[in-house]
Amino acid sequence: MRHARRRIVRRVTRLAAVGGLLLGTVMVTRAVASEPPGVPAEPRAATGAAVAPGAELLDRLGTTRTAGSWIGDDGRPVVAVTDRQAAAEVRAAGAAAKVVPHSMRELKSATAALRSAPRVPGTAWAVDYRSNEVVVRGDTTVSGADWSRLTDLAESLGGSVRMERTEGTFTTRLNGAQQILSTAGRCSAGFNVTDGRRDFILTAGHCGPGGSVWFADSQGRQQVGRTVDRSFPGDDYSLIQYGDGRAGDGAEVVAVGDGRGVRITGLGDPAVGQRVFRSGSTTGLRDGRVTALDATVNYPEGTVSGLIETDVCAEPGDSGGPLFSEGIALGVTSGGSGDCTAGGTTFFQPVTRALTDLDLRLIVAAPRGAGGQEEGAGASPEPSASATQSAVAPGAASPGSSAPVGGDVRATAVLSRLSDPRNVGPGLLIVAGSLVALVATRWIRAEQDRRSYQRHYSATWG
């Protein structure tokens, strides 16, 4: 009876091993024939980013007849125009029109004059579309003599520039969503991006020089990666390559505190007046509105241009943190003035510009399937410079759909990698296990036959 049971176990084991060999071979063959892990077979468009109706009108009417656009309180685009005929065309297209004295060409000429003047740290300027002016701000570090010199320049530009003093100082917010640390200081992970073969963290450029090594803990035990590219000043973005090249599970989620996160589903450029959200390791999730685009800030370390200006507060430690709305990635925290007690101004490096310069794609959440389940994360295609969230009324915007967040910035799960059907690893493991099982059953059978042979002849020959 016992021998019969052993034979049954051996036969079942051999059948399972043969089945495992066939299954493993098929898995390896399919994995080799498929795209590399982490890259979708067909790159998916960044969802949720709508083209601004106002942007099309600006392009058609030109910079001499328009002066920017923004989102009105009712969610409709408002276009600033310089003549009544242009206003009629704007209204015919379904947008609101506001007739203003200065064209975008005049306003850009004023900002060019400010850039060519001697640099004054502690100043910043941006075009305020609503007031049709270039607003120049000076913080408490700007001396009276420097401020007087800038004021004289502004007056010579013919009424298109407004001068404002601001409390606090314009500083980079060194020290986000989840903290990363190096000898250069404390910053935050912004968004996960990829080139199709390796994954990276996009964060602020002022966070550290090239070659900086980053950790997820203050003891330096959990290494995240190393800075491999950087642009600061001029721009304010840098790229941290993951140590093993993979971002892992949850790469499309940004943390917002209390173990929760927001799924990122696409990327775009914001519109003036849009409600936006920022997450940082110091102050958590905060919201506000975009007040200007293409802003310039003269930090003590150097001048950065092309920034998104907002009234969202931030504090040291929030640098590099993500700016988003409705799940659309917009920027990474650069710097600003004020704090989250008194309020202030915060500037962001646009994600679209950084990814274009770096030739990378944002890692985004997959569309939900019929059952409401995520189909997996992938990479977005090249960013669109005209994509905005202008179709969303400012007060109705939300951060985006929520998701749980792990405590580690990497959120890497080895088990999930092994179970990924696009990897050859799972198939090879099954093949190897099946071979071991076959060899083991053959060895056990041979050993049993040898012992039976010994017992038989021992009894026969005494």
Side-chain angles (χ1 to χ4, degrees), residues 77-119:
V78 181
V79 179
V81 295
T82 58
D83 61 74
R84 296 188 182 279
Q85 183 179 349
E89 292 185 47
V90 167
R91 295 187 184 102
K98 180 181 179 180
V99 179
V100 296
H102 306 294
S103 69
M104 181 58 72
R105 178 173 293 182
E106 293 176 71
L107 297 174
K108 291 293 185 182
S109 176
T111 60
L114 290 167
R115 277 197 302 270
S116 63
R119 178 177 174 274

Side-chain angles (χ1 to χ4, degrees), residues 59-142:
D59 290 340
R60 177 151 54 91
L61 295 172
T63 57
T64 60
R65 302 181 68 197
T66 63
S69 65
W70 62 93
I71 300 174
D73 294 337
D74 60 355
R76 293 175 62 206
V78 181
V79 179
V81 295
T82 58
D83 61 74
R84 296 188 182 279
Q85 183 179 349
E89 292 185 47
V90 167
R91 295 187 184 102
K98 180 181 179 180
V99 179
V100 296
H102 306 294
S103 69
M104 181 58 72
R105 178 173 293 182
E106 293 176 71
L107 297 174
K108 291 293 185 182
S109 176
T111 60
L114 290 167
R115 277 197 302 270
S116 63
R119 178 177 174 274
V120 179
T123 59
W125 56 79
V127 176
D128 185 337
Y129 297 158
R130 290 186 179 90
S131 68
N132 193 230
E133 297 169 308
V134 177
V135 180
V136 179
R137 297 186 179 91
D139 66 20
T140 55
T141 66
V142 179

Side-chain angles (χ1 to χ4, degrees), residues 21 78 121 206 344 362 368 385 387:
L21 279 173
V78 181
H206 67 263
L362 184 72
R368 290 184 177 273

Side-chain angles (χ1 to χ4, degrees), residues 71-326:
I71 300 174
D73 294 337
D74 60 355
R76 293 175 62 206
V78 181
V79 179
V81 295
T82 58
D83 61 74
R84 296 188 182 279
Q85 183 179 349
E89 292 185 47
V90 167
R91 295 187 184 102
K98 180 181 179 180
V99 179
V100 296
H102 306 294
S103 69
M104 181 58 72
R105 178 173 293 182
E106 293 176 71
L107 297 174
K108 291 293 185 182
S109 176
T111 60
L114 290 167
R115 277 197 302 270
S116 63
R119 178 177 174 274
V120 179
T123 59
W125 56 79
V127 176
D128 185 337
Y129 297 158
R130 290 186 179 90
S131 68
N132 193 230
E133 297 169 308
V134 177
V135 180
V136 179
R137 297 186 179 91
D139 66 20
T140 55
T141 66
V142 179
S143 68
D146 285 337
W147 189 247
S148 178
R149 188 165 59 251
L150 278 174
T151 301
D152 291 342
L153 174 61
E155 291 175 352
S156 71
L157 296 174
S160 61
V161 179
R162 183 174 84 243
M163 306 292 289
E164 287 185 358
R165 279 285 197 174
T166 185
E167 296 296 324
T169 58
F170 289 120
T171 59
T172 52
R173 298 308 199 182
L174 185 62
N175 274 350
Q178 292 186 306
Q179 69 174 5
I180 47 177
L181 305 101
S182 77
T183 54
R186 180 166 71 93
C187 272
S188 76
F191 297 100
N192 284 306
V193 298
T194 185
D195 64 3
R197 295 176 293 109
R198 299 160 299 174
D199 297 342
F200 309 83
I201 297 172
L202 181 69
T203 188
H206 67 263
C207 284
S212 297
V213 179
W214 294 92
F215 300 88
D217 65 316
S218 57
Q219 290 76 36
R221 297 192 186 98
Q222 302 175 41
Q223 183 172 332
V224 175
R226 184 185 299 271
T227 300
V228 294
D229 206 338
R230 176 183 187 239
S231 181
F232 178 80
D235 299 297
D236 194 1
Y237 61 79
S238 65
L239 205 60
I240 299 172
Q241 182 177 332
Y242 280 105
D244 61 359
R246 295 287 300 278
D249 287 350
E252 76 286 4
V253 176
V254 296
V256 296
D258 297 324
R260 303 298 297 170
V262 170
R263 290 185 180 91
I264 299 302
T265 58
L267 76 162
D269 292 319
V272 173
Q274 179 181 347
R275 187 185 182 199
V276 290
F277 300 81
R278 175 200 59 74
S279 184
S281 61
T282 300
T283 57
L285 184 66
R286 303 283 176 161
D287 72 300
R289 283 178 170 76
V290 176
T291 53
L293 303 174
D294 197 22
T296 296
V297 186
N298 291 299
Y299 294 124
E301 302 93 333
T303 300
V304 180
S305 299
L307 299 175
I308 303 165
E309 180 189 287
T310 75
D311 60 9
V312 185
C313 71
E315 295 181 4
D318 290 331
S319 272
L323 178 75
F324 49 92
S325 181
E326 298 292 327

